[in-house]
Amino acid sequence: MRVRLGKTLWISFCTVGMCFSFFTTRVNAPIIEHEAFNSHPKLSFSVISDIHLREGKSNSGTTYHDRIADHRLLSALTDIYDINPHQDALVIDGDCTTTGSQSDYARVRDILNKIPHPTNTLFAIGNHEFSSALYKQNGVFSPRTFPNGVTEQACIELFNSTFAE
C-alpha cells in the first residue's frame, strides 16, 4: 500500500523534527573500556552518491562531455584513497549518470578503471538511471514524447549489465 503525504502533513513533520532538534540535550555517556571499542574497525567503507556523469549528447543533441562531474568524481575517489587505501568497499548510492544512457555508463566505467578504488564497489540504482526515457534515439531531450520507446525494464537491465560482476 502506498501512502501519500499531503503538503500540510509534510510541513508538519518537518516542523516537529525541527522542534526536536532545538530541544535535544547532550548526554555524557560513560567511557566504555572494552577491547572491541579500542581495536581496529571490522569494516571500513565509503559512500558517495549523485555523481551524475554525462558523456554523449547535450539536451539539444550536440556532442557533450561534463568535465566538471568527471573532476568531482576523480577528486572524491582520490580523497577516499588518500584517507584509507585499504577500505573494504565503496558504495556509489544512485544517480551514477545524468541521462541513464550507455555513453554515461561507459564514462563511469572509464573513470573507475583509471583510478584506485576498492575492488568491492557496490552500486545502487537512482532515478537518473531511468532518465533515458526522456530522450529520443538521436539524444535530443524530449519529455513530451516520454517514454521514447524506453521501458523501465530496459533501464534496469542496462544498469545491471554495466555494474554486475
Side-chain angles (χ1 to χ4, degrees):
M1 181 172 134
R2 232 181 180 170
V3 178
R4 292 180 160 228
L5 295 177
K7 190 174 185 179
T8 305
L9 185 57
W10 179 248
I11 292 170
S12 298
F13 279 132
C14 292
T15 305
V16 168
M18 288 186 331
C19 289
F20 279 120
S21 67
F22 286 122
F23 296 111
T24 58
T25 59
R26 185 178 179 112
V27 176
N28 290 323
I31 296 174
I32 299 172
E33 294 294 334
H34 189 276
E35 64 185 65
F37 291 103
N38 297 321
S39 64
H40 296 287
K42 303 289 185 228
L43 177 68
S44 174
F45 63 95
S46 293
V47 179
I48 58 176
S49 81
D50 297 278
I51 58 178
H52 293 279
L53 294 190
R54 187 164 184 186
E55 172 83 27
K57 302 281 185 178
S58 68
N59 285 353
S60 62
T62 59
T63 302
Y64 182 80
H65 178 101
D66 189 343
R67 295 188 195 314
I68 294 171
D70 286 3
H71 176 73
R72 288 179 180 156
L73 178 58
L74 288 165
S75 295
L77 292 173
T78 300
D79 289 347
I80 287 168
Y81 186 79
D82 287 347
I83 291 168
N84 182 358
H86 305 292
Q87 291 186 49
D88 297 300
L90 169 65
V91 178
I92 301 179
D93 190 19
D95 292 350
C96 300
T97 70
T98 296
T99 67
S101 67
Q102 182 69 47
S103 57
D104 287 1
Y105 285 117
R107 188 69 194 145
V108 174
R109 275 285 171 214
D110 185 45
I111 288 178
L112 289 174
N113 288 334
K114 288 181 179 179
I115 193 156
H117 64 283
T119 304
N120 190 15
T121 300
L122 309 168
F123 299 88
I125 197 166
N127 64 310
H128 278 260
E129 277 70 63
F130 294 92
S131 293
S132 59
L134 296 170
Y135 294 82
K136 291 184 177 181
Q137 290 288 340
N138 62 2
V140 175
F141 184 66
S142 183
R144 286 186 310 126
T145 55
F146 176 84
N148 292 301
V150 178
T151 65
E152 184 177 286
Q153 188 59 37
C155 294
I156 293 168
E157 288 172 7
L158 181 57
F159 176 86
N160 286 339
S161 68
T162 301
F163 299 122
E165 301 207 13

